[in-house]
Amino acid sequence: MTTEIKHHTIEDIAGGAIPRHIAVIMDGNGRWATAKGMARLAGHHAGVEALDEVLETIKAIGTKYFTVYAFSTENWRRPADEVNGLMHLLVEYLDKKIAKLHAEGVCVRVIGDRSGLSERVRQKVENAYALTKDNDAVIFNIALNYGGRQEIVHAARQLAQACAAGEMNWQDIDEDAFAAHLDTAGQPDPDLLIRSSGELRLSNFMLWQVAYSEIWITDTLWPDFRAGDLFDAVFAFQKRDRRFGGLKK
């Protein structure tokens, strides 16, 4: 007999600190599908349904910034049919959801190296941002063809170019100057990083930004992740003592 997990509710986190920025490594789609005897791409489709509910919950609790790891720079190593299916799934998602997201005040941004994307995908994400860029209810970052190390290297190159051009002095490079050249420039770092499927690694995700993020890991595979799981993560976040290297007052 399976015991149903009792999740926290929105009432349980009411009155507590709500993370300004939540980042999620959406892991486990392929394993979910394989366990059910389905093609891996079916797991990615199920993962989109989970994303829909989680984004609705993000809006409900008042989190302003939401970043999801959709496709890493390393994911190109996967079979071509899976990669093509994932890109088609993104296009399909934006086609179906962008009008609703816009109406709800969601700004859709894609972070990562757009130059590695096909013209069709690149145009789709650029159109989504152009339509929603003035919205500010939720800033929804989709990390696509994204790698944390690559992002840091890109920022370093931009700063080096600025110094070489005489636009700034190397002595002026500090954390704020560096962060201003990251894909998330102008946004607060994630307060909470969630990873599904039980894996205990960052997988090259937001390496600069998560320096002091609270990390919450669940064994739940992403297609099964729902509002209750997000409430559990936020409830755990509210119990953490965030000292940022200092001592508790």
Side-chain angles (χ1 to χ4, degrees), residues 36-248:
K36 296 179 179 297
M38 304 164 69
R40 287 176 56 85
L41 198 56
H44 297 305
H45 280 274
V48 170
E49 295 179 13
L51 177 60
D52 275 345
E53 182 167 330
V54 172
L55 180 54
E56 290 297 322
T57 310
I58 287 287
K59 291 185 289 187
I61 67 176
T63 290
K64 180 70 175 287
Y65 301 90
F66 180 46
T67 302
V68 297
Y69 204 8
F71 191 88
S72 75
T73 50
E74 292 75 27
N75 286 155
W76 294 108
R77 301 170 187 166
R78 295 186 177 186
D81 59 343
E82 182 174 350
V83 171
N84 292 335
L86 282 166
M87 294 300 167
H88 177 75
L89 186 58
L90 172 67
V91 170
E92 184 179 69
Y93 175 80
L94 292 176
D95 282 340
K96 290 181 177 179
K97 303 292 184 179
I98 194 62
K100 179 176 182 289
L101 294 173
H102 180 46
E104 294 173 346
V106 177
C107 173
V108 179
R109 300 178 70 250
V110 166
I111 62 174
D113 182 8
R114 295 186 190 179
S115 67
L117 304 175
S118 70
E119 177 62 27
R120 176 173 178 248
V121 174
R122 186 164 59 249
Q123 191 63 55
K124 187 65 63 173
V125 300
E126 289 174 356
N127 289 345
Y129 178 65
L131 176 66
T132 64
K133 62 184 176 64
D134 295 325
N135 297 338
D136 63 358
V138 176
I139 309 302
F140 178 29
N141 301 310
I142 302 174
L144 186 68
N145 194 25
Y146 173 90
R149 287 182 174 180
Q150 291 82 346
E151 180 187 26
I152 290 171
V153 168
H154 179 68
R157 285 175 175 168
Q158 287 185 312
L159 289 167
Q161 288 173 347
C163 290
E167 298 170 359
M168 68 182 302
N169 296 317
W170 67 264
Q171 297 94 332
D172 296 327
I173 298 175
D174 56 15
E175 290 188 11
D176 289 337
F178 198 91
H181 288 82
L182 297 174
D183 292 350
T184 53
Q187 300 183 25
D189 291 338
D191 301 295
L192 174 62
L193 171 64
I194 298 170
R195 178 158 192 162
S196 59
S197 87
E199 299 291 353
L200 305 176
R201 56 179 176 268
L202 293 176
S203 296
N204 200 20
F205 183 53
M206 302 188 85
L207 300 181
W208 174 280
Q209 296 92 333
V210 300
Y212 272 101
S213 300
E214 297 298 324
I215 300 174
W216 188 83
I217 305 224
T218 176
D219 288 333
T220 300
L221 301 177
W222 181 251
D224 292 326
F225 196 102
R226 289 297 185 270
D229 298 283
L230 185 68
F231 295 143
D232 291 346
V234 174
F235 186 82
F237 168 84
Q238 292 175 340
K239 301 301 180 184
R240 305 277 180 92
D241 179 16
R242 306 190 75 199
R243 299 187 301 277
F244 300 95
L247 297 177
K248 186 174 182 180

Side-chain angles (χ1 to χ4, degrees), residues 13-28:
I13 64 173
I18 299 298
R20 293 176 303 166
H21 188 168
I22 294 177
V24 180
I25 300 175
M26 306 181 295
D27 196 20

